[in-house]
Amino acid sequence: MLLQLVTLIVVGTAYATEQTAENAFANLKANGNTTVEVREEVIKIRKRREAGCFQPNLRTRGPVLKEVTYRSDEACINLCLATAGCKAAVTSPMHWKVTGCFIIGEYTLTTSNAYGWDTAERECFEKEDDAEDEIDIDGGWRRKTKNTWFGYAWDDVPLEVKTTSAVGSNDEIFFEVANSRQRSFGRVVIRLSRTPIFYVHHCQHDTPLRNLPDAINGVRVWRFIKHGFEGLSIRCNGVLVATLKFAQAQKSQCTYSEWVESKAEFVKFNRDWDKTDGIREVCKEPLPIQPLPGIEAAKQPPVLYGAKISLSCSDETLTLSGADVMTCSTKDELEFYSFEGDTPSCIGGDLEDEID
């Protein structure tokens, strides 16, 4: 068949005419497959995809470089890797009589009429032979390997990144988040255009930042805070520059997206567009105060490097003596905590009575 550069929105092939699930299953049953067998196979494919790069109910606008009958996720991805100019692999609904694998060039993503379609972006599945290792760039900051998922409990600890890009450069902070199965469910973007904006996938369009502070030597520290299933807030050099409440988002789909259903357990920075210089390190080891009787901490790890954790006496009738703060630090990839003052202890009670 003569290949034409058409968009998936108007693909003029047999794949574009969606059949009902009932008709598709009936046709497959006529070929020796039972409805139960077909349904079970679709379920197996979906389960495999939960740990992979295919994102559900998502399709593309862009030129179709090749189209073949779907055989497996791996075969479709391998065809993309072997095709010059391929930027994404897309599959049509699994309940069609013939499911297609589409190899896509430059594209934009869309959820319009995308139910049952699945898209895997090349940046997700392509292995980078020359990918950078994580590099400790200075105390408390680490440059993460781009295009690689790393564990980060964003709901529990803010994400801090550093940039040195100028306003008007169009440089971006660009990261994706995924659930515990590394299934991507959203992305967050800051773009330092002439009018700097932020964008949250599924929830809003480009939205201007407010009160963006000046930066000494261009250095900005951005703190992205996820407030559970309620919303997000962003600070730059300590100033609040953006907020988003999922229930009041510009796009209605935000209120039934995974933003309000799943915790963010993994983060990945985009290889092509992200211009962050580093990410703040996180201390995860337990606090070393168990041997100190009666001392309790206001917060338990994970905490950001440099975080000051308040200490107090568990018995309110006692008085804390010595340091009332513990600080998280790292050195040579080892974590340690230090007291700001003498080793703390709790005094009072019977001891005070004896003195009196």
Side-chain angles (χ1 to χ4, degrees):
M1 181 179 64
L2 180 63
L3 182 65
Q4 296 180 339
L5 295 182
V6 294
T7 69
L8 274 180
I9 302 301
V10 291
V11 173
T13 70
Y15 301 128
T17 305
E18 180 171 357
Q19 302 179 39
T20 64
E22 291 76 11
N23 288 341
F25 287 135
N27 290 332
L28 287 168
K29 184 176 180 181
N31 292 328
N33 298 294
T34 67
T35 300
V36 172
E37 289 172 339
V38 173
R39 290 185 186 276
E40 288 180 346
E41 183 59 30
V42 171
I43 291 172
K44 288 178 183 178
I45 292 171
R46 288 293 179 197
K47 285 184 176 179
R48 286 199 300 270
R49 286 184 166 187
E50 287 177 352
C53 291
F54 277 97
Q55 300 181 66
N57 304 322
L58 190 66
R59 62 193 298 180
T60 60
R61 289 188 175 94
V64 179
L65 306 181
K66 290 183 180 179
E67 56 181 273
V68 298
T69 300
Y70 173 85
R71 292 188 290 117
S72 68
D73 287 359
E74 183 179 9
C76 194
I77 284 174
N78 286 340
L79 182 59
C80 177
L81 291 171
T83 303
C86 175
K87 301 296 185 181
V90 178
T91 61
S92 56
M94 291 294 163
H95 62 255
W96 288 11
K97 181 177 180 180
V98 178
T99 296
C101 162
F102 298 87
I103 304 305
I104 308 301
E106 295 293 340
Y107 66 91
T108 57
L109 295 171
T110 180
T111 55
S112 177
N113 298 318
Y115 182 77
W117 291 79
D118 297 279
T119 295
E121 298 177 271
R122 183 164 181 159
E123 66 184 38
C124 175
F125 55 75
E126 183 174 45
K127 295 181 179 178
E128 287 293 301
D129 294 331
D130 58 348
E132 290 181 330
D133 292 332
E134 294 187 8
I135 301 174
D136 188 4
I137 53 178
D138 56 48
W141 294 95
R142 184 168 292 273
R143 184 178 293 120
K144 304 296 290 188
T145 303
K146 300 295 178 71
N147 209 44
T148 300
W149 291 113
F150 61 92
Y152 199 96
W154 189 21
D155 288 74
D156 301 322
V157 60
L159 177 68
E160 279 196 2
V161 302
K162 181 168 64 173
T163 64
T164 53
S165 300
V167 171
S169 65
N170 285 323
D171 285 351
E172 296 182 350
I173 301 171
F174 190 122
F175 64 89
E176 289 186 66
V177 294
N179 60 22
S180 59
R181 295 169 294 191
Q182 290 189 24
R183 176 179 174 178
S184 175
F185 66 80
R187 64 177 64 95
V188 178
V189 177
I190 297 282
R191 183 180 306 118
L192 290 175
S193 48
R194 288 187 177 181
T195 302
I197 62 92
F198 78 106
Y199 162 82
V200 179
H201 187 217
H202 295 313
C203 293
Q204 66 176 69
H205 306 290
D206 291 0
T207 304
L209 298 175
R210 62 177 187 270
N211 303 321
L212 185 68
D214 293 332
I216 299 175
N217 297 324
V219 176
R220 289 184 171 87
V221 174
W222 304 80
R223 173 176 281 218
F224 297 84
I225 305 170
K226 186 171 185 289
H227 304 280
F229 301 144
E230 300 299 319
L232 309 175
S233 62
I234 304 172
R235 290 182 174 271
C236 178
N237 290 350
V239 177
L240 183 66
V241 296
T243 58
L244 168 66
K245 292 184 178 180
F246 297 141
Q248 300 173 10
Q250 296 172 3
K251 296 183 179 180
S252 60
Q253 69 192 77
C254 185
T255 58
Y256 54 83
S257 70
E258 285 198 60
W259 283 114
V260 298
E261 297 178 354
S262 299
K263 284 192 171 185
E265 302 285 352
F266 289 87
V267 172
K268 177 174 66 176
F269 288 93
N270 184 277
R271 180 187 69 245
D272 299 317
W273 299 304
D274 181 75
K275 302 300 181 183
T276 57
D277 293 310
I279 176 175
R280 182 84 75 181
E281 293 196 63
V282 176
C283 294
K284 302 177 183 178
E285 296 295 326
L287 296 176
I289 61 172
Q290 288 82 356
L292 303 176
I295 304 293
E296 63 181 18
K299 181 176 176 59
Q300 294 294 325
V303 295
L304 289 174
Y305 170 93
K308 297 182 184 299
I309 302 171
S310 298
L311 304 176
S312 62
C313 295
S314 54
D315 185 341
E316 295 182 357
T317 65
L318 302 180
T319 301
L320 183 68
S321 174
D324 61 357
V325 168
M326 177 178 287
T327 303
C328 158
S329 303
T330 64
K331 185 176 182 179
D332 298 329
E333 299 187 3
L334 297 177
E335 298 178 17
F336 63 93
Y337 292 85
S338 58
F339 296 118
E340 296 194 2
D342 297 331
T343 301
S345 61
C346 292
I347 61 173
D350 295 338
L351 179 59
E352 285 190 343
D353 291 341
E354 291 180 11
I355 294 176
D356 293 339

